[in-house]
Amino acid sequence: MVRAGSTSVATAGPTLAVVAREAGVSVPTASKVVNGRDDVAPETRRRVTEALERLGYVRRPRFDATKAPALIDLVVHSLDSSWSGAVLHGVEEAAYEAGLEIVVSAGLARTRAGRPERDWQDRLTARGSSGVLFNLAELTQAQYAWLDHHRIPYVLIDPVHEPPSGVVSVGAANWQGGVTATEHLIALGHERIGVIAGSRRKMCSGARVAGYRSALAAAGLRHRGEYIRHAGFDEGTARHRMHELLDLAEPPTAVFVCSDRMALGVYSALAERGLRVPDDVSVVGFDDLPEARWAAPALTTVRQPLSEMAATALRLLVRVMHGDRPEGTRTELSTRLVERASTAAPPARSAVRR
């Protein structure tokens, strides 16, 4: 293994300095092209790319399955949440069974201009990592291209956006989870059901809202556009969105909140209005994080198997590392409703105070 911070280059073939000289650029500029950086002029990128191909430069050798133990990089969105803890737990157990070593990185850093940094790519190759797991990562097209060009196996855990064709990913059955949460509230007798979703641009959020709409339609209930609010998976924003729902002429008697952390913000908004859960308003969350059990009252929520998703992704990555492509590139694990104390039949007369 090469020490972190050094550059891993195949012993055969030209060095990056040779490529830079051939293309008539500096070594740092050639390195930017190799690492998929965006801040390179198109004409310069073309010259460097042609020199790379002409000289047969190889940034990283193909994974050698005969070498053990292999080192795997896990790139998580952050390390300060119980979500990440569940993912780490699943990867750790599966890696132990497979005889793999794990290096954890917290997120893909961004520049002041908001563009993703590329340092993780240098660290990845310097460590000689055999593959990468990305959790909740927003990879750019250039980064996908860089991983493919350097033949680095990777698998996505709960990707933020729809990944390119052929990319292996693992997630939860978000649409079905939205259906299940909404059907539960309908079965209790609720007809005015709101939803506080995450980000409009995130794949999981859209699927959960689609499930909510589908359940309403199947029950013959009218869809109300004003009942759908987006809070970007932020607890504080969810609190504000709940206040907006309560200010409607006909506020909902129940709300499906697309994450447990946002549900805590909803709890705060209801308490500020002097309303009780579930006597006045029923609440269903999504995730089944430890916070759901700690809430008062304990939160009814849709459980997505985070540890199992992470372990499945690790096992799929091992297959990809050995050249065995799965038949389907998207694996979805089932969700299920966990009933606790935050849902009940709607009050005979709405007690919502605006």
Side-chain angles (χ1 to χ4, degrees):
M1 184 186 304
V2 182
R3 289 184 179 179
S6 63
T7 304
S8 174
V9 181
T11 55
T15 65
L16 192 59
V18 173
V19 172
R21 186 166 57 249
E22 176 75 9
V25 301
S26 65
V27 172
T29 298
S31 177
K32 288 181 180 180
V33 175
V34 168
N35 289 321
R37 293 280 293 268
D38 295 329
D39 52 340
V40 179
E43 174 60 22
T44 302
R45 184 182 302 280
R46 182 191 64 78
R47 295 204 316 272
V48 174
T49 301
E50 289 179 353
L52 289 168
E53 295 176 351
R54 185 165 58 251
L55 297 174
Y57 178 85
V58 178
R59 182 66 173 83
R60 182 185 183 279
R62 186 182 296 275
F63 167 68
D64 185 353
T66 65
K67 296 180 180 179
L71 185 67
I72 302 299
D73 269 61
L74 169 64
V75 182
V76 298
H77 180 65
S78 68
L79 290 171
D80 61 352
S81 69
S82 50
W83 169 289
S84 298
V87 169
L88 287 170
H89 177 72
V91 171
E92 180 185 26
E93 285 198 347
Y96 177 80
E97 294 173 359
L100 302 173
E101 295 182 0
I102 303 295
V103 175
V104 181
S105 300
L108 301 180
R110 291 181 176 269
T111 65
R112 291 182 179 178
R115 292 190 298 270
E117 292 280 10
R118 299 307 193 271
D119 291 346
W120 65 270
Q121 294 166 310
D122 287 329
R123 293 195 299 268
L124 179 70
T125 52
R127 283 194 289 264
S129 297
S130 299
V132 194
L133 291 173
F134 292 103
N135 177 227
L136 292 176
E138 298 183 61
L139 296 176
T140 65
Q141 291 301 316
Q143 288 171 334
Y144 281 120
W146 183 89
L147 289 163
D148 293 337
H149 178 75
H150 297 294
R151 300 175 296 178
I152 298 176
Y154 62 96
V155 172
L156 309 182
I157 305 171
D158 202 13
V160 173
H161 308 297
E162 185 74 31
S165 176
V167 173
V168 179
S169 67
V170 178
N174 290 294
W175 180 86
Q176 186 58 54
V179 170
T180 301
T182 310
E183 286 180 342
H184 170 68
L185 294 170
I186 293 172
L188 290 172
H190 293 277
E191 296 183 355
R192 290 162 28 204
I193 303 171
V195 60
I196 296 181
S199 172
R200 295 177 186 272
R201 62 189 182 85
K202 291 190 175 181
M203 186 167 61
C204 65
S205 180
R208 292 168 195 176
V209 173
Y212 156 84
R213 288 174 168 168
S214 180
L216 289 179
L221 295 177
R222 181 167 63 93
H223 163 65
R224 304 188 183 201
E226 69 271 23
Y227 277 7
I228 300 178
R229 306 284 162 149
H230 290 82
F233 291 109
D234 178 71
E235 181 178 336
T237 306
R239 171 178 162 271
H240 290 300
R241 296 294 176 263
M242 189 64 218
H243 276 297
E244 292 173 359
L245 289 174
L246 294 173
D247 286 336
L248 294 173
E250 280 191 303
T253 60
V255 60
F256 166 41
V257 191
C258 290
S259 82
D260 292 345
R261 293 196 66 174
M262 287 199 300
L264 299 181
V266 168
Y267 271 36
S268 296
L270 293 171
E272 289 163 2
R273 295 296 185 99
L275 299 172
R276 298 167 297 171
V277 178
D279 297 348
D280 300 319
V281 179
S282 289
V283 181
V284 177
F286 201 106
D287 289 332
D288 195 26
L289 299 176
E291 293 93 316
R293 300 189 298 273
W294 302 337
L299 179 66
T300 294
T301 188
V302 176
R303 180 182 186 272
Q304 60 171 334
L306 297 176
S307 293
E308 293 90 335
M309 286 160 52
T312 299
L314 188 282
R315 296 183 187 108
L316 286 172
L317 178 60
V318 171
R319 290 179 56 186
V320 175
M321 286 161 52
H322 287 78
D324 179 16
R325 302 293 297 184
E327 292 183 4
T329 56
R330 170 72 175 181
T331 299
E332 284 195 352
L333 302 189
S334 61
T335 55
R336 67 179 179 86
L337 185 74
V338 180
E339 293 189 47
R340 296 194 177 100
S342 67
T343 52
R349 180 179 180 181
S350 178
V352 174
R353 293 184 287 275
R354 294 184 287 116

